[in-house]
Amino acid sequence: QVRLVESGGGSVQTGGSLRLSCAVSGADSGYTRERKLAWFRQGQGTEREGVAVIYPGTGMTAYAWSVKDRFTISQDNAKSTVYLQMNNLKPEDAATYYCAANDRPPFGPWSRASFYTTWGQGTQVTVSS
């Protein structure tokens, strides 16, 4: 069973950058094209929001409109770590960020949290103005 461990959160000022990492282990070798790894975030009193996704088998990515052109999701060559590079951070980006895996059926819309069966413990991002 896949296991996810996030790291890299912290506190930055508006306009700063952070890179989050998600160490992936135990990933299923099947469903090469369908399975995906994503970053979600949840602020205080808000719903969990899909931020970015990568399909490890194809390298395809997608982003929420609110972070497009500022955040970049990527994976290392061994596909054992997924990164989220966050640039030009804004106070509204402050949240707990979670790595999530949808590595077996059912496969649904990437931004819908209910389709993800495995979650990391979360890492906190604080952005001060």
Side-chain angles (χ1 to χ4, degrees), residues 5 9 18 41 44 49 62 82 86 105 109 118 124:
V5 179
L18 281 174
R41 66 186 181 187
Q44 207 165 12
E49 172 193 21
V82 174
M86 306 186 295
T118 305
Q124 185 71 37

Side-chain angles (χ1 to χ4, degrees), residues 56-114:
T58 63
M60 189 174 72
T61 61
Y63 298 89
W65 69 268
S66 59
V67 305
K68 195 170 175 58
D69 298 328
R70 297 189 298 122
F71 291 12
T72 303
I73 190 170
S74 62
Q75 60 185 1
D76 66 6
N77 289 337
K79 301 176 183 177
S80 61
T81 304
V82 174
Y83 303 99
L84 185 68
Q85 177 66 44
M86 306 186 295
N87 298 327
N88 191 21
L89 282 161
K90 305 176 180 181
E92 53 263 41
D93 294 318
T96 300
Y97 282 71
Y98 299 90
C99 184
N102 179 197
D103 63 334
R104 62 197 64 191
F107 298 102
W110 77 264
S111 60
R112 192 168 298 176
S114 60

